[in-house]
Amino acid sequence: MPPRPDGPAAPAPARPRVPRFTVAEHRVHRATATLMAVCVLSAGCLYLPFLAELVGRRALMVTVHEWSGILLPVPLLLGLGSRALRADLTRLNRYGPHDRQWLRAVLRRRGGRPAGKFNAGQKLYAAWIAGAVLVMLGTGLLMWFTVPQALGFARAGGTPIAPLVWRTGATFVHDWLALAVVLVIAGHVWKAFGDPESRRGLRTGSVDAQWARREHPLWDHENNTP
């Protein structure tokens, strides 16, 4: 018979991890995600009859929706004080031949998928959602606020308003873009749930080194590039 161990088995050595996100980046992401969730849920209470009946207090939901939308860019603007966040924004806005290769591999469902700290899909998502938020903010403000009296549009009593065609167009763009945003965010959340290590990296700030080499093989090269 093999000898019995004298004590408890030694714990398995921890797998090496590499830093991925800072506390500031985590907080910016969490605050932005929270505001986006509030914005989407309050919009649902305004547009979906069963939610409107369940929640009631439409005026409150309108106020919550308006202010959550206006505050949406604020976490990112405050986070620009973080050097790490600014560096990651630069990475998100920098495309190379490996990004085209990544997209081709995804479309063909075969081939290697080279990526730096962020892959091409994450870069496209970040660019799309940033543009969508700006358009949503602009159309929302046009629907909410009035235009200057100098433009010559005024209702009885002298209160300046935007012309009806502007407000109609803004409402059309705002509503349909909101639907697209919900679908894109749903896809983003679905992909995140399929990659627990990616979620862990955002939550804890570090990721498994083996995962980093497999999913983002050009990350080290990107860090060493001036």
Side-chain angles (χ1 to χ4, degrees), residues 4-26:
R4 297 180 61 182
D6 294 332
R15 298 178 64 171
R17 302 184 68 80
V18 294
R20 183 163 173 84
F21 295 113
T22 64
V23 173
E25 291 176 293
H26 167 75

Side-chain angles (χ1 to χ4, degrees), residues 52-182:
E53 293 175 4
L54 181 65
V55 176
R57 305 191 67 178
R58 180 178 177 84
L60 175 61
M61 289 297 99
V62 169
T63 301
V64 169
H65 182 71
E66 290 169 343
W67 282 104
S68 60
I70 288 174
L71 294 175
L72 199 53
V74 172
L76 179 61
L77 295 176
L78 293 177
L80 291 177
S82 165
R83 180 182 299 177
L85 179 61
R86 295 197 304 272
D88 277 350
L89 290 177
T90 299
R91 291 187 179 99
L92 285 168
N93 284 287
R94 185 176 294 166
Y95 292 83
H98 61 280
D99 293 309
R100 292 191 293 272
Q101 184 179 344
W102 190 96
L103 290 172
R104 285 196 298 267
V106 169
L107 294 174
R108 298 172 182 174
R109 297 186 178 181
R110 59 184 175 84
R113 300 182 182 183
K117 185 173 183 179
F118 302 103
N119 61 45
Q122 292 167 326
K123 293 178 180 181
L124 290 176
Y125 170 80
W128 191 91
I129 204 71
V133 166
L134 290 177
V135 174
M136 293 286 288
L137 181 61
T139 54
L141 290 174
L142 186 57
M143 294 161 60
W144 185 20
F145 287 128
T146 57
V147 298
Q149 182 73 44
L151 293 180
F153 306 109
R155 63 163 67 106
T159 304
I161 60 172
L164 180 60
V165 65
W166 289 13
R167 295 174 62 85
T168 301
T171 302
F172 178 84
V173 172
H174 195 87
D175 290 352
W176 283 102
L177 186 56
L179 178 59
V181 167
V182 170

